[in-house]
Amino acid sequence: MPAARPLYGEDGSLDPVAEAVPGVWYLAVERRGRGMVVAYEDGTKRGFILDTTGIERGVAEEAPETSSGQSPSDVAAAKRRTERTVREAERLASAVMATAEPGFEPFWFAVPAARPLYGEDGSLDPVAEAVPGVWYLAVERRGVGMVVVYEDGTKRGFILDMTGIQRGDEVPAAPGFEPFWFAVPVRRPLMSETEEQQEVGELLPGTWYLAIEQREQGLIALSQDGHRGILFDTSGIQRG
């Protein structure tokens, strides 16, 4: 191995189980797509290496048979997970190398299920996770990936799977009303639209919320956790 390379588990996880380092011999036992299943010389670890460029080959050995205790279905499942890892790695590499789409207009969006956020350095170790109920800002499209930032600007990275997202500009709004993002100067309660007017959520400083309708009593807004209600006190709000 010419340089340290991460060794990924055969379960398809993107968290490395070990690291292959120069000066140590490893046994390549199987090729899967563009990657290689390798085993440590003492047999203590086995996993998947995606980058095999520049390796030094030793004397060829016969690949060992599947260890006892692994059923054919287990082997097939591990192979499918590994193939998914390879596809994810290829898509991420493609996004990292792609140029930004010209004329792209940033937009806010929410995800329907948890999605990994990968660093712009192309590492398969997620730097964070995008979760439902939170708005994220898509700032750039690169090939199959989208560069997104957290609302507070603390994290930035690639999301590869944008299926089923809810765009902020696609949230239904009242006719003639143009939705806008806003922040509150102090905590404000978000009240229900029913006659009881119970508190259904809270709006806090430092977070952006989406106003989708103007009523006589106040603004109809969406909270980060998906609640909808009336903001009666709109004094001092900051529009985004």
Side-chain angles (χ1 to χ4, degrees), residues 1-178:
M1 198 68 61
R5 303 277 167 80
L7 185 72
Y8 299 102
E10 292 183 89
D11 60 356
S13 170
L14 293 177
D15 296 324
V17 296
E19 187 177 56
V21 295
V24 177
W25 288 101
Y26 303 93
L27 180 62
V29 298
E30 188 177 339
R31 182 182 294 280
R32 296 185 188 171
R34 298 183 182 180
M36 195 79 72
V37 177
V38 304
Y40 272 45
E41 192 173 19
D42 59 5
T44 57
K45 293 186 178 68
R46 171 182 164 126
F48 197 73
I49 286 181
L50 298 176
D51 183 3
T52 59
T53 55
I55 63 172
E56 177 186 355
R57 294 179 62 133
V59 179
E61 298 185 26
E62 186 175 331
E65 297 181 359
T66 303
S67 60
S68 59
Q70 273 193 312
S71 67
S73 61
D74 291 337
V75 174
K79 185 175 182 179
R80 287 194 297 271
R81 289 192 293 267
T82 302
E83 289 171 347
R84 285 197 297 270
T85 301
V86 173
R87 288 196 297 269
E88 190 85 344
E90 291 174 343
R91 296 182 70 213
L92 179 58
S94 173
V96 170
M97 292 185 293
T99 56
E101 179 183 294
F104 178 81
E105 294 186 4
F107 62 88
W108 291 93
F109 71 94
V111 293
R115 303 276 166 82
L117 185 73
Y118 298 109
E120 293 181 87
D121 60 357
S123 171
L124 281 173
D125 297 325
V127 295
E129 186 177 55
V131 295
V134 177
W135 291 101
Y136 302 93
L137 181 63
V139 297
E140 199 173 299
R141 185 188 298 279
R142 293 192 201 166
V144 298
M146 194 77 72
V147 179
V148 306
V149 296
Y150 273 43
E151 191 175 28
D152 58 6
T154 57
K155 293 184 178 68
R156 171 182 168 124
F158 278 106
I159 286 184
L160 300 179
D161 184 3
M162 296 289 284
T163 57
I165 66 167
Q166 178 188 9
R167 289 180 56 139
D169 53 12
E170 294 174 347
V171 176
F177 180 83
E178 184 176 345

Side-chain angles (χ1 to χ4, degrees), residues 179-194:
F180 63 88
W181 293 91
F182 70 92
V184 291
V186 296
R187 180 194 179 278
R188 299 274 169 83
L190 191 66
M191 309 302 291
S192 67
E193 298 175 71
T194 60

Side-chain angles (χ1 to χ4, degrees), residues 179-216:
F180 63 88
W181 293 91
F182 70 92
V184 291
V186 296
R187 180 194 179 278
R188 299 274 169 83
L190 191 66
M191 309 302 291
S192 67
E193 298 175 71
T194 60
E195 293 182 0
E196 291 80 6
Q197 293 187 348
Q198 298 175 335
E199 185 171 329
V200 294
E202 63 176 0
L203 308 186
L204 300 173
T207 301
W208 291 101
Y209 302 96
L210 186 63
I212 61 172
E213 185 178 342
Q214 177 74 62
R215 291 189 184 174
E216 186 177 349

